[in-house]
Amino acid sequence: MYLRRGFIGIKSIGTFIKKINWSGSHYQKNFILILLIASVPGLITGILIYWFAVGAVEDELRKLHADQIVQRAKNIDEQFRNLEYAVSRWAIDPRFGESLRTMDFVSQFTETYDISKTLVQLQETHPLIKNVNLYVDGKENVLFNSEYNALTEQENSIFHQTLEGKNIYWGPFPGIDSQSSLTLVHNIPAASNRPFGSLIISINRNTALDLLKTLTPYSEGATFIINSEDDVILSANSTSDNLFVNALKEEVENDSSQESFQFTYNNQIYSVSVGHLTRVNTDWKYVSAAPMSSITAPLVFVSRIILLISASALILAFIMSWFASNRIHTPIRRLMGKLMDEKTDKWESAGQDEFLLIEQQWEELSQRSHLLQNRLSEQVEDIRNSFVLQLVQGYFLHYKEEDLEKRMKSYGWEVEEHDYIAIDVNLTGLFDSKDRFSANDDSLVTFLSANIIEELAGDMFNQYNVIKFSDLSVGVLIIYPREKSIKKDIHCFANKVTEAVNEILNLQVILTISKSTNSIMKIYHLFEDMGKWKRLRIYDDKNQIIDLQELGDEIDSNSFRYPFTIEKEIIQAIRMGHISDIEKLIYHFLEEISGNGMTEMNIQQGVRQLFSSIQHEILHVGINPNDLYNGKDMFEELSKIHTIERLTKWLMDSIILPFNQRVENKMNIELKRIVEKVVLMIQENYMDDISLDSCAEQVGTNSYSLSKAFKQIVGINFIDYLTELRIQKAKELLTHSTMKINDIAENVGYRHSYFNRIFKKQMGIPPSQYRKLHQDSEIDKIKKDG
């Protein structure tokens, strides 16, 4: 039926194609090409998927089913093993020692009561236990469970059989509970050749069957356990045929080497998994059978519609090809109209290929492109120079070293394992060279000297940048490999610059060579040190080369140096709200101004200057300093402090922290409103793919600010809040609904595999076990309520 409809659709498309008015040769070729691209690969892919992928997926599903059974069998084995370990520990308890052999249980009623109470407590320690009984064959023949029972001679002969077997063993023991088909017996004392009693644990059949049913994860199938005597000791059969278990048991006994095979029964194919559960003094075998139709059910619908989709895709390809080719051709029509500067109808009626006409215009456009690229290269060079100028002027002190490295790499520099050194070239004698330059030619002189330095540096260094300043000086930043020594090259370069400026410009040069550094952040300090040295020394109009590496500690030894750099860093840290950094910087600032043998008056003057700079920042934010200081005379307080530690504490406690608190209070109201909006978004959209970045974008802030505000106001971070909400919704669905776990995972915004991991991490147990425990408790509660 579907093929018939397909042929009718193809015929209709053919009629439709004949009616198309082909406009241009490219349009017709484009339509045919798109039609082939859209239809043929899809049809071939559909056939290949049907013939190959379906079978492969079926095999993979069978394998996953077998692996699932093995994992669940391990869980069952672990439950029984834990019970065996527990009973073994009870058997060596001193309470069940030799004293029971001669005890008078009537006269010693207190000990008798304690034994009964202990057995009741042990009964509650494991979900598989139905009853815990203690048989004693001693001075008196008694049986303990919830109470003390004296045995008759006939009853004692039945329980005495437990002492004749192995020290610990599994088996049916109807003497305790006629409905229990499985018991665990452990003689006491443990490992004794002459036991006088035994612990007899009756297994809760319903609980054991519920545990066994986990090996059959589908609504149909059967699972059973057989002991070493090939007797079925537990069986869960959801098929309608009671003979199915016997037939399957017979098949397993005929070929005991098979671990996974297919079994056909009443024209129904079952996937059978066989494994062993090693118990104390015996060996059990579990057999799980699930119908193949249940395992491969997801593929049945897929395999049926693959061919239908492939056939429908062919019809859709005809329609979409026409729309696509028409859509592609529309911008070409507009482009041709602009390129040819005439109406589109003229070149369409000529039947020419549009791209041949476009090609004719390419050379002209290419020439224009080269021109624009040259201009862009010049702009990039200007950006590089601007970046270096800002770097040496200290505009990037608040940046991190890694960020500056990335920017320099983006501009084409190699900075890894490289050091930096700076040179300052200061020109003198301009006012004495009236025959060549006037006093107003300082910009021209700086430009000429920069060109000279640029040419000389290009001959000697691989990486450098020349910086033109406004005070008849030129800076050079040189980047060189760390393992290379360039001291000789630097001095050679300095001599060549001096000679060239003397000869060409007839001016003198004071050339300062800085110390080297391996940090981009410290480049600013290199230029600052060179500038300070020039200001503090008296120069004659003659050539000088000053190497700061050779001068060492002699620089500024007798002069007061105000740490402007540290002041800038303090102001920047105040703006960013980095309280811990501010305290360190203030302490460093005070050490700097007190480390050159300065008097207290000079130190006080330096702190007053810093305080004035901070107060300027407070005024800039819009806060009244008098209101912030509560009317106190801050300069009077400052004059009474005489130690660095107290100065640091005063600046932090009296100025920085109150200012920071006032700024944060102004921001808290807005942050609370934003966080409340985000919490509402999470509660309404927790089942969707929601993230910190998407929420930040919707409320108009960045993810860092939102994360910090969310943790401060809500008390936990964003992802923990979202996870707790999703897990809470999942718990409600697991307890109060019959939805599949896969569907619950999707309903709370997780993939199934990740949902299992995150649920177990949060709750300590997987979702399936959580559902079973809580639904069982709900059922028990309903039963108790009547």
Side-chain angles (χ1 to χ4, degrees), residues 76-88 90 126-131 162 165-174 180-187 199-205 208 211 225-229 231 233-234 277-284:
I76 295 175
D77 185 55
E78 188 68 23
Q79 294 280 357
F80 281 102
R81 183 179 294 110
N82 290 340
L83 179 57
E84 292 169 350
Y85 289 160
V87 174
S88 297
W90 301 344
H126 199 283
L128 283 175
I129 298 176
K130 182 178 182 181
N131 291 310
T162 61
K166 300 175 182 177
N167 187 260
I168 180 172
Y169 62 90
W170 287 89
F173 189 71
S180 177
S181 61
L182 191 61
T183 55
L184 176 61
V185 179
H186 197 302
N187 293 338
L199 287 169
I200 306 172
I201 290 82
S202 298
I203 302 302
N204 190 318
R205 180 177 179 81
L211 188 61
I225 296 176
I226 56 180
N227 58 18
S228 57
E229 287 79 23
D231 296 328
I233 58 176
L234 278 176
L277 303 174
T278 303
R279 304 271 60 83
V280 290
N281 297 320
T282 187
D283 187 42
W284 293 353

Coordinates of all heavy atoms in Angstrom, one line a residue, residues 76-88 90 126-131 162 165-174 180-187 199-205 208 211 225-229 231 233-234 277-284:
I76 N 22.0 -10.8 44.1 CA 21.4 -11.9 44.9 C 22.4 -12.7 45.7 O 22.2 -13.0 46.8 CB 20.6 -12.8 43.9 CG1 19.4 -12.0 43.3 CG2 20.0 -14.0 44.7 CD1 18.6 -12.8 42.3
D77 N 23.5 -13.0 45.0 CA 24.6 -13.8 45.6 C 25.1 -13.0 46.8 O 25.4 -13.6 47.9 CB 25.7 -14.1 44.6 CG 26.8 -14.9 45.2 OD1 26.4 -16.1 45.7 OD2 27.9 -14.5 45.2
E78 N 25.2 -11.7 46.7 CA 25.8 -10.9 47.8 C 24.8 -10.9 49.0 O 25.2 -10.9 50.1 CB 26.0 -9.4 47.3 CG 26.7 -8.5 48.3 CD 28.1 -8.9 48.5 OE1 28.7 -9.6 47.6 OE2 28.6 -8.6 49.5
Q79 N 23.5 -10.9 48.7 CA 22.5 -10.9 49.8 C 22.6 -12.2 50.6 O 22.6 -12.2 51.8 CB 21.1 -10.8 49.2 CG 20.8 -9.5 48.5 CD 20.4 -8.4 49.5 OE1 20.3 -8.7 50.7 NE2 20.3 -7.2 49.1
F80 N 22.7 -13.4 49.9 CA 22.8 -14.6 50.6 C 24.1 -14.7 51.3 O 24.2 -15.3 52.4 CB 22.6 -15.8 49.6 CG 21.2 -16.1 49.3 CD1 20.7 -15.6 48.0 CD2 20.3 -16.7 50.1 CE1 19.3 -15.9 47.7 CE2 19.0 -17.0 49.8 CZ 18.5 -16.6 48.6
R81 N 25.2 -14.2 50.7 CA 26.5 -14.3 51.3 C 26.6 -13.5 52.6 O 27.1 -13.9 53.6 CB 27.6 -13.8 50.3 CG 29.0 -13.9 50.9 CD 30.1 -13.5 50.0 NE 30.2 -14.3 48.8 CZ 29.8 -13.9 47.6 NH1 29.3 -12.7 47.4 NH2 29.9 -14.8 46.5
N82 N 26.0 -12.3 52.5 CA 25.9 -11.5 53.8 C 25.2 -12.2 54.9 O 25.5 -12.1 56.1 CB 25.2 -10.1 53.5 CG 26.0 -9.3 52.6 OD1 27.3 -9.4 52.5 ND2 25.4 -8.3 51.9
L83 N 24.1 -12.9 54.5 CA 23.3 -13.7 55.5 C 24.2 -14.8 56.1 O 24.2 -15.0 57.3 CB 22.1 -14.3 54.9 CG 21.2 -15.1 55.8 CD1 20.8 -14.3 57.0 CD2 20.0 -15.6 55.0
E84 N 25.0 -15.5 55.3 CA 25.9 -16.5 55.8 C 26.9 -16.0 56.7 O 27.2 -16.6 57.8 CB 26.5 -17.3 54.6 CG 25.6 -18.0 53.7 CD 26.2 -18.5 52.4 OE1 27.3 -18.0 52.1 OE2 25.6 -19.3 51.7
Y85 N 27.5 -14.8 56.3 CA 28.5 -14.2 57.2 C 27.9 -13.8 58.5 O 28.5 -14.0 59.6 CB 29.1 -13.0 56.5 CG 30.0 -13.3 55.4 CD1 30.3 -12.3 54.4 CD2 30.6 -14.6 55.2 CE1 31.1 -12.6 53.3 CE2 31.4 -14.8 54.1 CZ 31.7 -13.9 53.2 OH 32.5 -14.1 52.1
A86 N 26.7 -13.3 58.5 CA 26.0 -12.8 59.7 C 25.8 -14.0 60.6 O 26.0 -14.0 61.9 CB 24.7 -12.1 59.4
V87 N 25.3 -15.1 60.1 CA 25.0 -16.3 60.9 C 26.3 -16.9 61.5 O 26.3 -17.4 62.6 CB 24.2 -17.4 60.0 CG1 24.0 -18.7 60.8 CG2 22.9 -16.8 59.6
S88 N 27.4 -16.9 60.7 CA 28.6 -17.4 61.2 C 29.1 -16.5 62.4 O 29.7 -17.1 63.4 CB 29.7 -17.3 60.1 OG 29.3 -18.2 59.1
W90 N 27.1 -14.9 64.5 CA 26.2 -15.2 65.6 C 26.7 -16.5 66.3 O 26.6 -16.6 67.5 CB 24.8 -15.4 65.1 CG 24.2 -14.1 64.4 CD1 24.7 -12.9 64.5 CD2 23.1 -14.1 63.6 NE1 24.0 -12.0 63.7 CE2 22.9 -12.7 63.2 CE3 22.1 -15.0 63.2 CZ2 21.9 -12.3 62.3 CZ3 21.1 -14.6 62.3 CH2 21.0 -13.3 61.9
H126 N 18.4 -8.7 58.8 CA 18.5 -9.0 57.4 C 17.1 -9.2 56.8 O 16.3 -9.8 57.4 CB 19.3 -10.2 57.2 CG 19.9 -10.3 55.8 ND1 19.2 -10.7 54.7 CD2 21.2 -10.1 55.4 CE1 19.9 -10.7 53.7 NE2 21.2 -10.4 54.0
P127 N 16.9 -8.5 55.6 CA 15.5 -8.6 55.0 C 15.1 -10.0 54.6 O 13.9 -10.3 54.5 CB 15.6 -7.7 53.8 CG 17.1 -7.6 53.5 CD 17.8 -7.7 54.8
L128 N 16.1 -10.9 54.4 CA 15.7 -12.3 53.9 C 15.2 -13.2 55.1 O 14.7 -14.2 54.9 CB 16.9 -12.9 53.2 CG 17.2 -12.5 51.8 CD1 18.5 -13.1 51.3 CD2 16.1 -12.8 50.9
I129 N 15.5 -12.8 56.3 CA 15.2 -13.6 57.5 C 13.7 -13.5 57.8 O 13.2 -12.4 58.0 CB 16.0 -13.2 58.7 CG1 17.5 -13.4 58.4 CG2 15.6 -14.1 59.9 CD1 18.4 -13.0 59.5
K130 N 13.1 -14.7 58.0 CA 11.7 -14.7 58.4 C 11.7 -15.0 59.9 O 11.0 -14.3 60.7 CB 10.9 -15.8 57.7 CG 9.4 -15.9 58.1 CD 8.7 -16.9 57.2 CE 7.2 -16.9 57.6 NZ 6.4 -17.9 56.9
N131 N 12.4 -16.1 60.3 CA 12.5 -16.5 61.7 C 13.9 -16.9 62.1 O 14.6 -17.5 61.2 CB 11.5 -17.6 62.1 CG 10.1 -17.2 62.0 OD1 9.7 -16.2 62.6 ND2 9.2 -17.9 61.3
T162 N 19.5 -31.8 62.9 CA 20.4 -30.7 62.4 C 21.8 -30.8 63.0 O 22.7 -30.2 62.4 CB 19.8 -29.4 63.0 OG1 19.8 -29.4 64.4 CG2 18.4 -29.2 62.5
G165 N 24.4 -33.2 60.5 CA 24.9 -32.8 59.2 C 26.2 -32.0 59.3 O 27.0 -32.2 60.3
K166 N 26.4 -31.2 58.3 CA 27.6 -30.4 58.3 C 27.5 -29.2 59.3 O 26.4 -29.0 59.8 CB 27.8 -29.8 56.9 CG 28.0 -30.9 55.8 CD 28.1 -30.2 54.5 CE 28.2 -31.3 53.4 NZ 28.2 -30.8 52.0
N167 N 28.6 -28.6 59.6 CA 28.6 -27.5 60.6 C 27.7 -26.4 60.2 O 27.0 -25.8 61.0 CB 30.0 -27.0 60.8 CG 30.1 -26.0 61.9 OD1 30.1 -24.8 61.7 ND2 30.2 -26.5 63.1
I168 N 27.6 -26.0 58.9 CA 26.7 -25.0 58.4 C 26.2 -25.5 57.0 O 27.0 -26.0 56.2 CB 27.3 -23.6 58.3 CG1 26.3 -22.6 57.7 CG2 28.6 -23.7 57.5 CD1 26.8 -21.2 57.8
Y169 N 24.9 -25.4 56.7 CA 24.5 -25.9 55.4 C 23.1 -25.3 55.2 O 22.4 -24.8 56.0 CB 24.4 -27.4 55.4 CG 23.4 -28.0 56.5 CD1 22.1 -28.2 56.2 CD2 23.9 -28.3 57.8 CE1 21.2 -28.7 57.1 CE2 23.0 -28.8 58.7 CZ 21.7 -29.0 58.4 OH 20.8 -29.5 59.3
W170 N 22.7 -25.3 53.8 CA 21.4 -24.8 53.4 C 20.6 -26.1 53.1 O 21.0 -27.1 52.6 CB 21.6 -24.0 52.1 CG 22.1 -22.7 52.3 CD1 23.4 -22.3 52.2 CD2 21.4 -21.5 52.5 NE1 23.6 -21.0 52.4 CE2 22.3 -20.4 52.6 CE3 20.0 -21.2 52.7 CZ2 22.0 -19.1 52.8 CZ3 19.7 -19.9 52.9 CH2 20.6 -18.8 53.0
G171 N 19.3 -25.9 53.3 CA 18.4 -27.0 52.9 C 17.0 -26.7 53.5 O 16.8 -25.9 54.4
P172 N 16.0 -27.4 53.0 CA 14.7 -27.3 53.6 C 14.6 -28.0 54.9 O 15.2 -29.1 55.1 CB 13.8 -28.0 52.5 CG 14.7 -29.0 51.9 CD 16.0 -28.4 51.8
F173 N 13.9 -27.4 55.9 CA 13.8 -28.0 57.2 C 12.4 -27.7 57.7 O 12.1 -26.7 58.3 CB 14.8 -27.4 58.2 CG 14.8 -28.1 59.5 CD1 15.4 -29.4 59.6 CD2 14.3 -27.5 60.6 CE1 15.4 -30.0 60.8 CE2 14.3 -28.2 61.9 CZ 14.8 -29.4 62.0
P174 N 11.4 -28.6 57.3 CA 10.0 -28.3 57.6 C 9.7 -28.4 59.1 O 8.6 -28.0 59.5 CB 9.3 -29.5 56.9 CG 10.4 -30.6 56.8 CD 11.7 -29.9 56.7
S180 N 8.0 -22.7 54.7 CA 9.4 -22.3 54.3 C 10.1 -23.4 53.6 O 10.2 -24.5 54.1 CB 10.2 -21.8 55.5 OG 11.5 -21.4 55.1
S181 N 10.5 -23.1 52.4 CA 11.2 -24.2 51.6 C 12.7 -24.0 51.7 O 13.4 -24.8 51.0 CB 10.8 -24.1 50.1 OG 11.1 -22.8 49.6
L182 N 13.2 -23.0 52.4 CA 14.6 -22.8 52.4 C 15.0 -22.3 53.8 O 14.4 -21.4 54.4 CB 15.0 -21.7 51.4 CG 16.5 -21.6 51.1 CD1 17.1 -22.9 50.6 CD2 16.7 -20.4 50.1
T183 N 16.0 -23.0 54.4 CA 16.5 -22.7 55.7 C 18.1 -22.7 55.7 O 18.7 -23.4 54.9 CB 16.0 -23.6 56.8 OG1 16.4 -25.0 56.5 CG2 14.5 -23.5 57.0
L184 N 18.7 -22.0 56.6 CA 20.1 -22.0 56.8 C 20.4 -22.5 58.3 O 19.9 -21.9 59.2 CB 20.7 -20.6 56.6 CG 22.2 -20.5 56.9 CD1 23.0 -21.4 56.0 CD2 22.6 -19.0 56.7
V185 N 21.1 -23.6 58.4 CA 21.4 -24.2 59.7 C 22.9 -24.0 60.0 O 23.7 -24.3 59.2 CB 21.0 -25.7 59.7 CG1 21.3 -26.3 61.1 CG2 19.5 -25.8 59.4
H186 N 23.2 -23.6 61.3 CA 24.6 -23.5 61.7 C 24.6 -24.0 63.2 O 23.9 -23.6 64.1 CB 25.0 -22.0 61.8 CG 26.5 -21.8 61.8 ND1 27.3 -22.4 62.8 CD2 27.4 -21.2 61.0 CE1 28.5 -22.1 62.6 NE2 28.6 -21.4 61.5
N187 N 25.5 -25.1 63.3 CA 25.6 -25.7 64.6 C 26.4 -24.9 65.6 O 27.3 -24.0 65.2 CB 26.3 -27.1 64.5 CG 25.5 -28.1 63.7 OD1 24.3 -28.0 63.6 ND2 26.1 -29.1 63.1
L199 N 21.6 -23.0 65.3 CA 20.8 -21.8 64.9 C 20.1 -22.1 63.6 O 20.8 -22.5 62.6 CB 21.7 -20.6 64.7 CG 22.3 -19.9 65.9 CD1 23.4 -18.9 65.6 CD2 21.2 -19.2 66.7
I200 N 18.8 -22.0 63.5 CA 18.0 -22.4 62.3 C 17.3 -21.1 61.8 O 16.5 -20.5 62.5 CB 17.0 -23.5 62.7 CG1 17.7 -24.7 63.3 CG2 16.3 -23.9 61.4 CD1 16.7 -25.7 63.9
I201 N 17.7 -20.7 60.7 CA 17.2 -19.4 60.1 C 16.3 -19.8 59.0 O 16.7 -20.4 58.0 CB 18.3 -18.5 59.6 CG1 19.1 -17.9 60.7 CG2 17.8 -17.4 58.7 CD1 20.2 -18.9 61.3
S202 N 15.0 -19.4 59.1 CA 14.0 -19.6 58.0 C 14.0 -18.4 57.1 O 14.0 -17.3 57.6 CB 12.6 -19.8 58.7 OG 12.6 -20.9 59.5
I203 N 14.1 -18.7 55.8 CA 14.1 -17.6 54.8 C 12.7 -17.2 54.5 O 11.8 -18.0 54.3 CB 14.8 -18.1 53.5 CG1 16.3 -18.5 53.9 CG2 14.9 -17.0 52.5 CD1 17.1 -17.5 54.5
N204 N 12.5 -15.9 54.4 CA 11.2 -15.3 54.0 C 11.0 -15.6 52.6 O 11.7 -15.0 51.7 CB 11.2 -13.8 54.3 CG 9.8 -13.2 54.1 OD1 9.0 -13.6 53.2 ND2 9.4 -12.3 55.1
R205 N 10.0 -16.4 52.3 CA 9.8 -16.9 50.9 C 9.4 -15.7 50.0 O 9.9 -15.6 48.8 CB 8.8 -18.0 50.8 CG 8.5 -18.5 49.4 CD 7.5 -19.6 49.4 NE 7.2 -20.1 48.1 CZ 8.0 -20.9 47.4 NH1 9.1 -21.4 48.0 NH2 7.6 -21.3 46.2
A208 N 12.4 -13.6 49.3 CA 13.4 -14.3 48.4 C 12.8 -14.3 47.0 O 13.6 -14.1 46.0 CB 13.6 -15.7 48.9
L211 N 13.3 -10.9 45.4 CA 14.7 -10.8 45.0 C 15.0 -11.6 43.7 O 15.7 -11.2 42.8 CB 15.6 -11.2 46.1 CG 17.1 -11.0 46.0 CD1 17.4 -9.5 45.9 CD2 17.9 -11.6 47.2
I225 N 15.9 -21.3 41.0 CA 17.2 -21.7 41.5 C 17.1 -23.2 41.9 O 16.2 -23.6 42.5 CB 17.6 -20.9 42.8 CG1 17.8 -19.4 42.4 CG2 18.9 -21.4 43.4 CD1 18.1 -18.5 43.6
I226 N 18.2 -23.9 41.5 CA 18.2 -25.3 41.8 C 19.5 -25.6 42.6 O 20.5 -25.0 42.4 CB 18.1 -26.2 40.5 CG1 19.3 -25.8 39.5 CG2 16.8 -26.1 39.8 CD1 19.3 -26.7 38.3
N227 N 19.4 -26.6 43.5 CA 20.5 -26.9 44.4 C 21.4 -27.9 43.7 O 21.2 -28.3 42.6 CB 20.0 -27.3 45.8 CG 19.1 -28.5 45.7 OD1 19.1 -29.2 44.7 ND2 18.3 -28.7 46.8
S228 N 22.4 -28.4 44.5 CA 23.3 -29.4 43.9 C 22.6 -30.7 43.6 O 23.2 -31.5 42.9 CB 24.5 -29.6 44.9 OG 24.0 -30.0 46.2
E229 N 21.4 -31.0 44.3 CA 20.7 -32.2 44.0 C 19.7 -32.0 42.8 O 18.8 -32.9 42.6 CB 20.0 -32.7 45.2 CG 20.8 -33.3 46.3 CD 21.5 -32.2 47.1 OE1 21.0 -31.0 47.1 OE2 22.6 -32.4 47.7
D231 N 17.3 -30.0 42.7 CA 15.9 -29.7 43.1 C 15.7 -28.2 43.0 O 16.6 -27.4 43.4 CB 15.7 -30.2 44.6 CG 15.8 -31.7 44.7 OD1 15.5 -32.4 43.7 OD2 16.3 -32.2 45.7
I233 N 14.6 -25.0 44.4 CA 14.4 -24.5 45.8 C 13.6 -23.1 45.8 O 13.0 -22.8 46.8 CB 15.7 -24.4 46.6 CG1 16.7 -23.5 45.9 CG2 16.3 -25.8 46.8 CD1 17.9 -23.2 46.6
L234 N 13.7 -22.4 44.7 CA 13.0 -21.1 44.6 C 12.6 -21.0 43.1 O 13.4 -21.3 42.2 CB 13.8 -19.9 45.0 CG 13.9 -19.6 46.5 CD1 14.9 -18.4 46.7 CD2 12.6 -19.3 47.1
L277 N 25.7 -19.8 41.9 CA 25.8 -19.1 43.1 C 26.4 -20.0 44.2 O 25.8 -21.0 44.6 CB 24.4 -18.7 43.6 CG 23.5 -17.8 42.7 CD1 22.1 -17.6 43.2 CD2 24.2 -16.5 42.4
T278 N 27.6 -19.7 44.5 CA 28.4 -20.6 45.4 C 28.0 -20.3 46.8 O 28.3 -19.2 47.3 CB 29.9 -20.4 45.2 OG1 30.2 -20.7 43.8 CG2 30.7 -21.4 46.1
R279 N 27.4 -21.3 47.5 CA 27.0 -21.2 48.9 C 27.9 -22.1 49.7 O 28.7 -22.9 49.2 CB 25.5 -21.6 49.1 CG 24.5 -20.9 48.2 CD 24.0 -19.6 48.9 NE 25.0 -18.7 49.2 CZ 25.5 -17.8 48.4 NH1 25.1 -17.7 47.1 NH2 26.5 -16.9 48.7
V280 N 27.8 -21.9 51.0 CA 28.6 -22.7 51.9 C 28.2 -24.2 51.8 O 27.1 -24.5 51.9 CB 28.5 -22.2 53.4 CG1 29.1 -20.9 53.6 CG2 27.0 -22.2 53.8
N281 N 29.2 -25.0 51.6 CA 29.0 -26.5 51.5 C 28.1 -27.0 50.4 O 27.5 -28.1 50.5 CB 28.5 -27.0 52.9 CG 29.5 -26.8 54.0 OD1 30.7 -26.9 53.7 ND2 29.1 -26.4 55.1
T282 N 27.8 -26.1 49.4 CA 26.9 -26.5 48.3 C 27.1 -25.5 47.2 O 27.8 -24.6 47.3 CB 25.4 -26.5 48.8 OG1 24.6 -27.1 47.7 CG2 24.9 -25.1 49.1
D283 N 26.4 -25.8 46.1 CA 26.5 -25.0 44.9 C 25.1 -24.9 44.3 O 24.5 -25.9 44.0 CB 27.5 -25.6 43.9 CG 27.7 -24.6 42.7 OD1 27.8 -23.4 43.0 OD2 27.7 -25.1 41.6
W284 N 24.6 -23.6 44.1 CA 23.3 -23.4 43.5 C 23.5 -23.0 42.1 O 24.5 -22.4 41.7 CB 22.5 -22.3 44.2 CG 22.1 -22.7 45.6 CD1 22.2 -23.9 46.2 CD2 21.5 -21.8 46.6 NE1 21.8 -23.9 47.5 CE2 21.3 -22.6 47.8 CE3 21.2 -20.5 46.6 CZ2 20.7 -22.1 48.9 CZ3 20.6 -20.0 47.7 CH2 20.4 -20.8 48.9

